[in-house]
């Protein structure tokens, strides 16, 4: 393997790792926001402030 091939392979691995990291981070944030929104809606519903059907 030449130095140029090794450098290219390193960049491809780095880019793939970055994209996988971004995907994992997005999933964590998405799950946290979804959970918080669900908890918020449930709290409002328990207080009777959230209508069951929107008009």
């Amino acid at each position: 393997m030449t130095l140029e091939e090794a450098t290219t392979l390193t960049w491809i691995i780095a880019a793939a790792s970055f994209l996988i990291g971004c995907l994992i981070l997005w999933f964590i944030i998405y799950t946290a926001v979804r959970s918080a929104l669900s908890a918020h809606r449930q709290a409002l519903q328990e207080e009777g402030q959230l209508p069951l059907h929107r008009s």
Side-chain angles (χ1 to χ4, degrees):
M1 180 179 291
T2 66
L3 180 60
E4 186 177 334
E5 290 172 336
T7 303
T8 302
L9 184 60
T10 301
W11 277 107
I12 290 172
I13 292 171
S17 298
F18 176 76
L19 291 175
I20 290 169
C22 287
L23 185 63
I24 291 170
L25 182 62
W26 173 85
F27 181 73
I28 291 169
I29 292 170
Y30 172 79
T31 304
V33 168
R34 187 173 170 190
S35 175
L37 183 58
S38 177
H40 177 66
R41 285 183 176 172
Q42 185 177 359
L44 288 179
Q45 197 171 31
E46 288 172 359
E47 292 177 7
Q49 296 181 7
L50 186 66
L52 295 177
H53 301 287
R54 295 181 180 169
S55 52

